[in-house]
Amino acid sequence: MLGNFTFCNPTRLYFGEGSLKRLNEELPKYGETVQLVYGGGSIRKNGIYDQVIKLLRDNGKRIVEDGGVMPNPTVEKVYEGSRIARENNVALILAVGGGSCCDYAKAVSVSAWCQEDPWQKYYLNFQDVDADTKIIPVGCVLTMVGTGSEMNGGAVITNHEQKLKIGHVFGDNVFPKFSILDPTFTYTLPKYQMVSGIYDIFNHICEQYFSGEDDNTSDYISEGLMRSVIHSSRIAIQNPRDYEARSNLMWTATWALNTLVAQGKTTDWMVHMIGQAVGAYTDATHGMTLAAVSMAYYRHICPYGLEKFARFAKNVWNVQTNGKTTEQIAAEGLDCMESWMKELGLVMNITDLGATKDMIPGIADSTIMLTDGYKALTKDEVVEILRESL
Ligand code: NZQ
Ligand code: ZN
């Protein structure tokens, strides 16, 4: 393991069925006013909203509602939430939902008292939060599994006018102070969202695994996490109420993107960069944008990281190696991955997400170019990958 690093993850997790009541331990730590962030209404239908309201009232909180957070939260919504937070001088932002609500809560937490335009500062200029800017603490009650937002500093925001979807990864002072993970809260997810989240988990691991050539403990952990996702996904699509499978998926999602498996790694993230640009143009579900470009991307970079792709085939997909070349083993691993993705019912092309040939130059233009994977792509290569993904 050759890289140097600092590791700190300050988020306290409460995991398991019935863990919502642990809000009773967290809420007294914060002041009176809580900004309750939620999405388009799923929590009202499945009863989580009523349970949360009761716990907030029992703890004597003044509740300021901030619902209607859309999947792929927009910059306009962040401005609105920041105004609500400021005007009510909120002491805690409690996000109840998926990655969109958690990301949005973090964006509001650093934007409410920011002296500059937060979109310009954090998302276009990638600047840090100023030392004298008040950061409002965030807590999460997770209802959708995939992003890892419950235990990281990521906050992805979309600007439709500028056709940009950008993630800022904030420092550990912006990580949620606590997150509540009850796997039964994910039972009501539509299958489309469940499988999209499953692929998001898997791809987060790939983005970190497919980089570097040193012998790194993070890669062994990643292989274990990937095997667990594949195994549990097959059970969960047959029986969405299988607690064991849903709990493993929830826990794996957290570990896939809470910075652990990135330690000592350069990391890639180009599937996310291309997927996010597709998202900026189509507003499609995050995990599906990744699925739609993944096979074209990985087949394109495979020759540049051949040994790692062969290791992936052997250790994750149990590909038999006897009498085969390294190229054949690597290719077979990717074929196994593609079959599994189809088995889950993922969207495997960008056309089905609403992208057209005409959009490709614009999508390529919106793609943020990172260079730490096995192949530093040119814009022409991004165009080629997008064409293959149509
Ligand atoms: O809005 P409601 O009505 O709640 O419905 C949501 C939404 O339509 C629904 N849902 C969530 N929990 C449910 C449920 N429906 C029924 N029962 C439940 N228990 O699911 C839909 C999707 O929710 P959303 O929060 O948008 O999904 P996800 O968790 O995938 O979050 C996506 C956002 O996270 C960003 C993505 O780019 C996207 O904007 N990401 C954040 C990351 C991070 N913080 O590190 C990393 C990721 O790579 C990702 O980019
Ligand atoms: Zn993701």
Side-chain angles (χ1 to χ4, degrees):
M1 185 150 178
L2 302 180
N4 292 9
F5 57 85
T6 303
F7 179 73
C8 169
N9 194 312
T11 305
R12 181 180 299 271
L13 291 182
Y14 297 97
F15 192 96
E17 188 164 10
S19 51
L20 186 67
K21 62 178 181 297
R22 308 296 290 272
L23 275 179
N24 286 324
E25 287 157 54
E26 288 296 331
L27 292 175
K29 297 179 188 170
Y30 304 93
E32 193 194 2
T33 306
V34 176
Q35 183 163 345
L36 179 62
V37 164
Y38 56 95
S42 70
I43 65 162
R44 286 187 187 265
K45 284 192 211 126
N46 58 24
I48 297 171
Y49 174 86
D50 291 339
Q51 295 177 51
V52 171
I53 292 282
K54 181 171 184 327
L55 283 156
L56 287 168
R57 291 211 178 112
D58 289 351
N59 283 275
K61 300 297 179 186
R62 183 171 84 91
I63 304 163
V64 179
E65 297 236 1
D66 183 8
V69 176
M70 60 295 282
N72 311 318
T74 63
V75 66
E76 290 80 14
K77 181 70 183 161
V78 173
Y79 292 143
E80 181 192 309
S82 302
R83 182 184 49 74
I84 294 172
R86 224 174 20 250
E87 286 176 3
N88 292 282
N89 197 16
V90 308
L92 172 72
I93 304 173
L94 185 65
V96 185
S100 294
C101 288
C102 300
D103 279 20
Y104 166 80
K106 283 179 252 179
V108 169
S109 122
V110 296
S111 300
W113 300 100
C114 178
Q115 297 299 317
E116 299 157 61
D117 173 38
W119 173 254
Q120 183 70 39
K121 182 178 175 67
Y122 301 130
Y123 292 92
L124 295 180
N125 299 347
F126 280 102
Q127 286 168 350
D128 284 334
V129 187
D130 289 336
D132 58 355
T133 298
K134 186 162 90 178
I135 299 173
I136 304 170
V138 169
C140 300
V141 176
L142 201 64
T143 67
M144 151 96 196
V145 166
T147 64
S149 188
E150 65 276 12
M151 204 185 195
N152 71 33
V156 183
I157 298 300
T158 298
N159 186 321
H160 286 297
E161 202 187 315
Q162 296 176 12
K163 292 216 175 339
L164 292 171
K165 180 177 185 187
I166 301 178
H168 187 121
V169 181
F170 292 96
D172 56 42
N173 50 353
V174 184
F175 281 38
K177 299 292 173 226
F178 64 90
S179 286
I180 292 182
L181 276 62
D182 181 338
T184 66
F185 283 5
T186 68
Y187 286 171
T188 54
L189 269 174
K191 185 182 173 223
Y192 189 87
Q193 293 297 338
M194 179 183 80
V195 296
S196 167
I198 288 170
Y199 187 68
D200 195 20
I201 308 172
F202 192 83
N203 190 254
H204 290 159
I205 308 169
C206 291
E207 297 274 30
Q208 298 162 93
Y209 180 77
F210 289 119
S211 68
E213 274 154 19
D214 56 332
D215 185 35
N216 189 321
T217 300
S218 293
D219 290 336
Y220 297 85
I221 301 172
S222 289
E223 287 164 357
L225 292 173
M226 287 193 268
R227 293 174 74 99
S228 175
V229 175
I230 297 161
H231 177 74
S232 296
S233 69
R234 289 186 163 136
I235 299 169
I237 48 170
Q238 295 304 323
N239 178 14
R241 297 180 84 88
D242 186 301
Y243 182 83
E244 208 170 19
R246 299 307 289 266
S247 63
N248 280 323
L249 289 169
M250 196 170 216
W251 192 221
T252 311
T254 304
W255 286 96
L257 197 50
N258 70 356
T259 79
L260 177 82
V261 297
Q263 302 307 332
K265 307 273 311 172
T266 53
T267 74
D268 181 345
W269 294 109
M270 274 314 290
V271 170
H272 270 69
M273 294 306 105
I274 301 172
Q276 277 174 205
V278 171
Y281 273 73
T282 60
D283 207 24
T285 299
H286 171 66
M288 294 305 188
T289 65
L290 308 176
V293 301
S294 278
M295 291 323 302
Y297 177 74
Y298 287 121
R299 291 199 168 109
H300 185 87
I301 66 157
C302 181
Y304 304 92
L306 195 60
E307 292 297 331
K308 193 57 161 290
F309 280 93
R311 174 176 162 171
F312 172 70
K314 282 181 275 184
N315 294 355
V316 178
W317 298 102
N318 298 323
V319 168
Q320 299 306 309
T321 57
N322 287 353
K324 294 175 191 159
T325 64
T326 312
E327 284 81 359
Q328 285 169 331
I329 298 165
E332 222 178 286
L334 289 176
D335 291 346
C336 291
M337 175 171 159
E338 186 174 22
S339 305
W340 169 68
M341 291 168 74
K342 289 182 175 162
E343 192 184 320
L344 289 186
L346 292 163
V347 178
M348 302 297 285
N349 64 73
I350 59 174
T351 309
D352 289 349
L353 297 176
T356 58
K357 209 172 165 198
D358 302 353
M359 289 180 190
I360 286 183
I363 297 174
D365 239 20
S366 289
T367 302
I368 295 172
M369 304 296 281
L370 303 174
T371 54
D372 287 330
Y374 286 127
K375 170 76 175 75
L377 298 184
T378 61
K379 283 280 178 190
D380 286 346
E381 286 174 292
V382 173
V383 167
E384 194 183 321
I385 288 162
L386 286 164
R387 280 207 195 112
E388 278 168 30
S389 305
L390 274 171

